Structure formats: C-alpha cells, structure tokens
Amino acid sequence: TSGCQVRQISTWQPLVDTPTLCIKREMFSQTLRRFAAPAATAAALAFATTIDQTPAARMDQLQLVDRRDSDSASSHPSLSVHTEQPPPEVTMIVEKGGSCPPGVKCPTLDPDLTNPSKPIKIMKLKEVQRLVESEDRIVVTFMGGVYDITDFTGHPGGYGRLEMVAGYDLEPFWKIYTQHNRGHILQYLQRYQIGRLSDEEAEVQRLSTPEFDNPYKNDPPPYDTLLTNTRYPYNAEGRLRNLADSFFTPAGQHYVRNHGLVPDINPEEYRLTVRGVGCNEKAFTLDELKDPKRFDQVDVTTVIQCNGNRREDYHFINPGVPAFGPPHWVAGAIGNATWTGIRLRDVLKDAGLPLDEISLNKASLPEGADNISFKGYDHDEVGNNYCCSIPIEKGIDPYGDVILAFKMNGEDIPRAHGYPVRVIVPGNAGARNCKFLERITVTPNPCLNAGNWKQYAVHAPDVPLFKLAEFEEHHVELKMDPVVQDMPVQSMICTPSAWDTLKLQGTKDHPSIRVKGFAWGGG
C-alpha cells in the first residue's frame, strides 16, 4: 500500500525496524509457509496479522500512535509535545530447544500453562477425525500442530465456538477472529497440543477446511473515532485524549462492547418479556414501554466502564501469566452519558411484584426472589444469547436509579450501544448493563451464562489461570466466587499521553504542565 516500504526478510530477522513497514498478510503467510520453520511461521504470521489489522493491532505498540493527536500542542499552551515511535517489540514462538533471535522479545509463559515437556508425535489426519467423530473430542489443527481443546471449557468466547471448529484448521476462523493472532495465544495453545501432521497432510487439512463465512456482515460499521480492539465481535475503546474533552461522552467516543452479533431489531416487532418469581409473565411492546401514561420517564447520567478495562496491564504485571480473555482493553473502555428511560422497579411492579409494600415493610419479597437476570437479543454464531444478573436489592431500591433506557444523550440508542432498549445499572460493571434487552427474569440464582461466571467473576489472586481456562473441571470452586458488581473509585490521566515527550514553556517563575483527566466515584 502507499507509504509502505517493501523489503525481503529472513526467517529470524526482526520484523520491524521502521514505523512505516507494512506487510500484506496473504503474501507474507504464503512466503513463510514455503520457507520458514513451523514455529517461526506461526509467530511471524501472528505479528503480520496485527500489522495488517491496524488499528486493531498490538495495543502496547501500535495503537498508542493513534492517541498522539496532532492538536495536542495547540490545546495546551504551556505544553510542547514531541512524539516518537516507541521501540518496536516482536513476539515470536520458540520451539522447545530453540533460542530467541537478537532483537526479538520472546515471552516465557508459566510452565503450568504450556506443558513444554510433553512429547509430540506425528499424527495422521484420520486419527484427528476419529477423535472428533468417535470420541467426541474437540480437536483442531493450526500450522501443522494438532490440538485437543476439549478441556478448554473457559474459552472466553464460549464453548459453542470451540465446538464449531472441531475437526477443522483454525486459519480461516482466525482470519475473522484476529484477536487470536498474538504471541501469548499461540503459546497457550501449546498446552493442548497432542501431535503434529506431516507437511503434506497439514497442507491437505488447510486446503480442505472450508472458508468461514463472516457472520458479522450485518453489524453496523465501526466507529473510525474509536480504537478497535477486536473487529469481530466489534469492541472498541475511546481515545483517552478525547474522553476528557467533555463531561458527556457522545456515541463515537463512548466505548463499544459486544459479545456476539449485533441484532437488527424492528421497533414495531420488539417485545420485552418479564417473568419469574412473584411476577405475572408479561410482554411489553416498545410503545408500551415509552407510554408516559404508564411509566414515568427519567434521565440518568452515569459512567459505564467495562470491568475488563486495563486488561492489557496483565501482560506487564506478571509476564508469565498473560491476559486471558479479549478484548485487551488499555484504558479507554469507559464513558459517561445521559440515558433516558423508565425505572426497572416500575416495570416489575406492573408485572405484579408488590414493591411499594415491600419498601414500606408491609410485605416481604417472595422466597427465591434474589436476583434479576437480563437476557439480550444478541447471540453468538451458535445461538448462545448474552445474559447477566444483578442482586434484586439493586434493581428495586426506591431511591435507586436502575432504568430500562431507550435514549442516549437525547437520541435513540445507536445499534452498537443496544438499540432499542438496554439496561443501565449505575455504579455497576459494564457487563451488567445488558444491551438489546429481550427478557427480565426474577430468579433464585444469578444467570449461569458465561457472561456472569467465566469472564466476570471476582476470583482470589491465587487462583491460577489454568483453572479459569478449564472452568468446568473446577466449576464447584470457581462458582463460589461472586460475580463483579460494584466498581471501585478510580481516576485516569488523559493528557499528556503515553510516549509524549514534554518540554516546559512557561515563564521562569511559573513553569507548568497541564495535566488533564477524570475521576469516577464507582458504585
């Protein structure tokens, strides 16, 4: 592409030594398949893909460039900003017994995560198919390696997505799910390696795996003003410099979090079902929810933050135990908006719960009315809907502010943010603010969907990563831990930005640097 330098590289030559290097993924991967060792091929392909997917690239390397806006100096008269490209980092996979080439960063994962000492045998394709068809194992291949991922029940994208790829090569799927193309993901995959295919059979397997038709074709277009973390499903965070520009965060600067396909809902056909303990099951149309004669409309201004925000920091806190689930947010998965809607407690009252009497201590909650679960219309490629829960006390508090919103900053909620109705739970983790709301259920137990337990629980610091990865084997222990609800008090500096070089330009007596950011009171 224009502005790129083209040069030939050897197998172990560092992939980057200039900010302008661009690599065409298909040509690069074909070249490496032909000439490079398998381990080097996998790692180099992973890095080439991140280059190709900018701005969905390595957050600690490429996306910081996007944060250095050209107006930084003019916005701050006392600040002169000189930006420079941080030293490039290349992550490669090194086979057992291999060495790390000069200039290349080779992370070392905790041995418990990779099992490097187990023997690797040469397998036949018919063995792979037998394991899938006769033994009901989820076995996949990638770059010639054979992996039995059946026990990876804590897969952040849900177990159904693993079942979807059983017996196939991962390459066509990872062309869509580019979030896998990072060095630590490939290293973690080694934990499940059971063999290798010959070069000939690896090529047969790769060519025989059908192309994966992108199921996200009907999603709304991405916001070019956000930094993309994962393209499919679409997850993008705000630029820190912009987040401090205004008290209110508009769509296009407010982060977007999706767990699956974005539904395209006809407002005339929309239905919200309310049911569960103490409720008379009812279905509401969008017009009924918006009817001011039936429900009072209120405005609530609140911060929403994904409780995975700053997940990328895990790579630096403990390099041997990398961040587990995407998206690998840096710090911009947060925003503050005014939401217009109706109180959740009013809808539950309309469905039969005697909430005013309960508030006045004239009645008690029905036995088993302990949680409020929300189910969204959004689902993944195999039909699993998003679901989450909050304690019922949070949802029915007469002084509380949990609402079912249909406007964001005075406009209909955009599709990417949950049109036509989403839950707003001020002070709680973003994962509790269910989008595309389909159903509300009063239940004895929290929702058992992966959105509650596998990604969004509060585990003790000594819970090892492999227990979360192999969740079902350890589910009795892990489900004793609470799901994330209230968020903590926190603050953030937005400018100066990372990699900015500062020079004081104030007077001799009053040199100064303007530091700009925000603080949030949490739940």
Side-chain angles (χ1 to χ4, degrees):
T1 58
S2 61
C4 294
Q5 297 178 357
V6 180
R7 61 186 175 85
Q8 185 174 359
I9 62 172
S10 62
T11 302
W12 287 113
Q13 183 177 348
L15 297 184
V16 215
D17 59 9
T18 165
T20 60
L21 174 65
C22 297
I23 302 171
K24 183 171 174 57
R25 184 184 188 279
E26 290 303 318
M27 178 177 67
F28 186 69
S29 60
Q30 290 168 9
T31 302
L32 284 176
R33 277 199 197 94
R34 202 172 156 195
F35 298 110
T41 304
L45 175 60
F47 190 77
T49 303
T50 62
I51 293 285
D52 186 51
Q53 294 295 327
T54 305
R58 286 273 307 277
M59 295 296 296
D60 56 337
Q61 177 183 318
L62 295 180
Q63 288 193 351
L64 286 172
V65 178
D66 290 316
R67 292 210 175 94
R68 300 195 295 271
D69 300 324
S70 59
D71 63 350
S72 56
S74 60
S75 299
H76 309 290
S78 62
L79 181 64
S80 173
V81 180
H82 170 69
T83 61
E84 55 187 36
Q85 178 75 8
E89 288 184 358
V90 181
T91 299
M92 283 191 167
I93 304 302
V94 181
E95 288 186 328
K96 183 181 178 183
S99 59
C100 193
V104 175
K105 179 183 178 182
C106 294
T108 302
L109 294 194
D110 188 311
D112 287 340
L113 302 182
T114 58
N115 291 343
S117 61
K118 62 183 179 183
I120 302 299
K121 67 174 184 176
I122 299 297
M123 298 179 65
K124 297 287 188 181
L125 266 178
K126 61 182 181 181
E127 293 181 75
V128 174
Q129 296 306 318
R130 177 184 58 80
L131 288 170
V132 173
E133 296 170 5
S134 302
E135 300 188 24
D136 202 26
R137 305 294 294 179
I138 300 178
V139 181
V140 298
T141 62
F142 186 66
M143 294 293 182
V146 181
Y147 305 91
D148 185 341
I149 56 177
T150 310
D151 295 333
F152 188 21
T153 54
H155 178 251
Y159 199 63
R161 283 179 168 134
L162 297 188
E163 296 173 317
M164 179 177 71
V165 301
Y168 292 125
D169 192 82
L170 291 177
E171 183 175 326
F173 300 94
W174 284 9
K175 285 181 181 179
I176 304 297
Y177 307 116
T178 55
Q179 56 266 38
H180 294 89
N181 296 321
R182 298 188 62 169
H184 70 276
I185 301 295
L186 295 170
Q187 280 197 307
Y188 186 76
L189 190 60
Q190 294 175 9
R191 176 178 177 84
Y192 301 104
Q193 186 168 8
I194 59 173
R196 289 196 63 82
L197 299 173
S198 67
D199 291 344
E200 294 76 12
E201 289 215 313
E203 186 68 4
V204 170
Q205 169 75 341
R206 189 181 70 83
L207 295 176
S208 63
T209 296
E211 284 297 314
F212 182 50
D213 188 32
N214 187 350
Y216 295 88
K217 292 176 181 177
N218 193 41
D219 275 15
Y223 289 103
D224 58 10
T225 49
L226 297 177
L227 300 172
T228 299
N229 294 77
T230 67
R231 184 62 187 88
Y232 305 112
Y234 178 58
N235 293 285
E237 64 180 286
R239 302 171 188 268
L240 293 189
R241 191 182 303 277
N242 294 341
L243 288 178
D245 286 345
S246 171
F247 182 72
F248 300 101
T249 312
Q253 293 185 19
H254 197 293
Y255 84 99
V256 175
R257 174 69 168 111
N258 289 306
H259 294 81
L261 287 69
V262 176
D264 192 0
I265 299 173
N266 184 336
E268 300 298 324
E269 299 174 358
Y270 175 78
R271 297 293 184 273
L272 169 64
T273 301
V274 179
R275 66 181 192 179
V277 178
C279 295
N280 303 312
E281 184 165 331
K282 301 184 76 170
F284 298 90
T285 66
L286 187 58
D287 286 340
E288 288 173 332
L289 294 175
K290 290 183 174 182
D291 184 356
K293 296 179 181 179
R294 189 164 187 175
F295 300 111
D296 292 335
Q297 294 189 12
V298 296
D299 292 334
V300 172
T301 299
T302 184
V303 168
I304 299 178
Q305 176 181 231
C306 180
N307 55 283
N309 201 22
R310 296 189 175 105
R311 186 177 275 136
E312 188 72 8
D313 288 354
Y314 277 103
H315 294 287
F316 305 97
I317 294 172
N318 187 352
V321 183
F324 180 51
H328 288 175
W329 305 116
V330 178
I334 189 170
N336 183 53
T338 296
W339 305 88
T340 302
I342 58 178
R343 295 182 180 90
L344 171 61
R345 76 183 314 273
D346 290 348
V347 176
L348 293 175
K349 279 172 54 180
D350 195 87
L353 274 177
L355 296 184
D356 289 338
E357 291 81 359
I358 292 171
S359 298
L360 295 170
N361 207 25
K362 295 180 178 180
S364 301
L365 275 170
E367 184 176 354
D370 300 319
N371 296 272
I372 304 174
S373 293
F374 307 110
K375 176 188 174 186
Y377 276 99
D378 54 323
H379 58 78
D380 62 20
E381 299 82 338
V382 293
N384 295 316
N385 293 75
Y386 183 74
C387 145
C388 61
S389 302
I390 61 173
I392 194 166
E393 293 81 7
K394 176 72 176 180
I396 67 172
D397 185 349
Y399 300 104
D401 43 16
V402 178
I403 66 170
L404 310 183
F406 36 79
K407 287 184 180 293
M408 176 184 183
N409 293 328
E411 304 288 340
D412 286 347
I413 294 178
R415 274 184 68 200
H417 288 280
Y419 182 84
V421 178
R422 72 174 295 172
V423 183
I424 299 297
V425 188
N428 282 39
R432 307 296 154 233
N433 295 255
C434 182
K435 305 197 298 186
F436 323 109
L437 186 61
E438 177 184 359
R439 191 170 68 204
I440 300 171
T441 308
V442 178
T443 64
N445 302 305
C447 171
L448 297 181
N449 179 279
N452 250 28
W453 292 108
K454 295 182 180 179
Q455 288 196 66
Y456 300 123
V458 183
H459 301 297
D462 60 350
V463 173
L465 178 61
F466 73 84
K467 283 190 176 182
L468 302 180
E470 296 171 7
F471 189 92
E472 291 305 324
E473 182 179 347
H474 308 282
H475 74 277
V476 174
E477 170 191 352
L478 296 177
K479 286 185 177 180
M480 294 175 64
D481 296 335
V483 298
V484 176
Q485 295 290 352
D486 292 353
M487 297 299 280
V489 175
Q490 53 199 282
S491 60
M492 193 176 302
I493 294 174
C494 297
T495 54
S497 298
W499 304 110
D500 283 351
T501 300
L502 311 180
K503 179 181 178 181
L504 293 180
Q505 291 185 328
T507 66
K508 179 179 179 181
D509 296 329
H510 298 92
S512 64
I513 295 175
R514 184 182 182 188
V515 178
K516 191 175 181 181
F518 57 83
W520 178 34

